[in-house]
Amino acid sequence: MKLLGYWRSSAAYRVRIALNLKGLDAELESVHLVKNGGEQHLPEYAALNPQELVPTLIEGDNEFVLSQSLAIIEYLDEQYGGTLMLPKTPKARAEVRAMALSIACEVHPLNNLKVLQYLTNTLALDEDAKNAWYHHWIHQGFSAFEKQLEKHAGTYCYGDEVTLADLCLIPQVYNANRFKVDLGAYPNIRRIWDNCHKLEAFLLAAPERQADAI
């Protein structure tokens, strides 16, 4: 099994956590999103992932190639044993998916690298304007997520077991910290960040622990 990703990619970060929680040994191969105009745009990578995004999971000799982090995580959940990323009951699974998707589909896409590059390179926004954009969408998304946590959280996002929701939240908090977003208004988010970082699976998946970190 091979995971093609990038150390700072939130989506790849999610999958690294899942692999660690399940105890799966995957070869991590770097696709540098910035170097040489972005290695994700190289023809050989685009042939594997036409969206030219990371991560991409490969099993065998390109026998099974899968993109999109949440699809990868759910595949790992269904295919392999170990920690489950989704609860067993349909209603609980649906609630966890809703929490995860609120980060993965509503917050992250507005603040990922290709959007930020478009803001600066094409629309010619300066650094302050770009950061204002970033902070606005983080606050909007985290305000809503904090309310979801008031209803569902225990030790983690959904009760006292790690779920897909935690795998989506933690990388987004990492990026919010990197962009110096004030998270003081989100006590549950900050508490869950602390609790997740008591677990080796999250610590080992951290961007700075990756071989391609610079």
Side-chain angles (χ1 to χ4, degrees):
M1 185 187 299
K2 182 185 294 187
L3 182 70
L4 282 61
Y6 178 62
W7 68 291
R8 266 187 176 161
S9 161
S10 297
Y13 191 172
R14 297 167 194 156
V15 179
R16 292 197 302 266
I17 298 169
L19 289 167
N20 292 340
L21 285 168
K22 287 190 167 292
L24 295 173
D25 186 18
E27 178 186 351
L28 303 181
E29 183 175 312
S30 178
V31 178
H32 203 291
L33 300 186
V34 180
K35 188 183 299 181
N36 300 320
E39 294 177 349
Q40 70 274 26
H41 304 307
L42 294 174
E44 55 267 34
Y45 184 75
L48 293 171
N49 188 326
Q51 289 184 294
E52 300 178 15
L53 299 171
V54 294
T56 301
L57 182 78
I58 300 175
E59 285 189 330
D61 187 16
N62 289 5
E63 295 168 7
F64 181 68
V65 180
L66 185 63
S67 61
Q68 289 296 332
S69 62
L70 270 62
I72 293 171
I73 292 167
E74 290 210 32
Y75 167 73
L76 296 175
D77 220 23
E78 294 172 3
Q79 185 73 2
Y80 298 97
T83 301
L84 291 175
M85 304 297 106
L86 288 166
K88 293 182 179 179
T89 67
K91 288 182 179 178
R93 282 201 304 272
E95 288 175 327
V96 167
R97 283 193 180 103
M99 296 178 77
L101 290 168
S102 73
I103 297 292
C105 294
E106 302 295 337
V107 181
H108 174 241
L110 289 165
N111 291 314
N112 70 5
L113 179 63
K114 68 178 183 179
V115 170
L116 299 181
Q117 287 176 333
Y118 183 81
L119 292 175
T120 55
N121 298 339
T122 304
L123 300 185
L125 269 63
D126 62 21
E127 194 71 10
D128 288 343
K130 182 192 77 173
N131 289 335
W133 167 282
Y134 191 99
H135 285 224
H136 171 80
W137 295 114
I138 287 290
H139 283 303
Q140 186 181 88
F142 277 12
S143 293
F145 199 82
E146 183 73 14
K147 291 181 175 65
Q148 290 179 292
L149 293 176
E150 291 170 4
K151 179 179 180 181
H152 295 299
T155 305
Y156 306 107
C157 286
Y158 194 89
D160 295 321
E161 301 293 334
V162 171
T163 66
L164 182 63
D166 301 287
L167 274 60
C168 289
L169 176 64
I170 294 307
Q172 201 64 61
V173 175
Y174 172 87
N175 280 335
N177 287 331
R178 186 164 70 91
F179 279 83
K180 298 181 171 55
V181 178
D182 182 1
L183 301 181
Y186 314 117
N188 284 304
I189 288 175
R190 290 185 284 110
R191 177 177 59 81
I192 289 164
W193 167 270
D194 291 339
N195 289 339
C196 285
H197 281 84
K198 296 173 185 176
L199 302 177
E200 188 177 35
F202 286 83
L203 294 172
L204 292 175
E208 289 79 8
R209 300 287 293 270
Q210 308 315 303
D212 58 339
I214 55 172

